[in-house]
Amino acid sequence: MSSAQERAKALAQEMKRAIMEAKTAEARAKRLGDEVLLALAEAKKEAETVSTIVEYPIGRYECKQCGVGSIFSQTYRELPACDNCGSREYVGAEPTITKITPPPPKKYSSGMYECTGCRTRIVLAEDTDELSPCDVCGAYKLRAV
């Protein structure tokens, strides 16, 4: 076999390995993209939960399970477990519910975007008003995926 033919064979095998590595990387990137979207959905849900504050005032409460009375001398965001049966459900003063008004929405919400120039997928982890350029081609035009 000639040296050019051996070199072509070696290059073909190297190219095959590179294609396999690229396919593996693409599958990993897709899996990570799915995980990022789930994490972003959880983060938004957590942010919504934090925007509602429930406070139980000072006063007398009665356990719904066993009927034992308790006097709470401080406000609670979550009532403690009953000393008698461990339940956390009480009858008593109604809680004060405070809703925190979130700031106005940003121009670009967190999520998966695609560069319109090179079609590279980009993840925005936080809502933002300004986009950074594509890491690959430098374009500023992204579209939601």
Side-chain angles (χ1 to χ4, degrees), residues 27-118:
R28 183 170 183 258
K30 183 178 179 347
R31 188 178 69 250
L32 288 172
D34 293 342
E35 289 177 22
V36 164
L37 292 176
L38 286 173
L40 290 173
E42 288 175 15
K44 283 183 180 182
K45 188 175 180 180
E46 287 173 1
E48 288 172 2
T49 326
V50 171
S51 68
T52 302
I53 299 172
V54 177
E55 288 185 325
Y56 293 89
I58 296 170
R60 186 178 188 294
Y61 292 81
E62 189 174 295
C63 178
K64 278 188 178 179
Q65 295 289 333
C66 65
V68 169
S70 298
I71 296 177
F72 298 128
S73 59
Q74 66 184 39
T75 59
Y76 286 97
R77 289 201 174 175
E78 184 178 307
L79 291 175
C82 173
D83 291 334
N84 189 46
C85 71
S87 172
R88 291 187 178 271
E89 295 183 36
Y90 290 88
V91 175
E94 290 296 316
T96 304
I97 299 173
T98 307
K99 286 228 179 236
I100 299 172
T101 307
K106 303 282 185 174
K107 187 175 179 182
Y108 300 98
S109 62
S110 59
M112 187 79 69
Y113 289 82
E114 183 177 78
C115 174
T116 57
C118 66

Side-chain angles (χ1 to χ4, degrees), residues 121-132:
R121 289 195 172 199
I122 297 166
V123 177
L124 291 181
E126 297 179 349
D127 296 350
T128 183
D129 284 327
E130 291 184 27
L131 293 174
S132 56

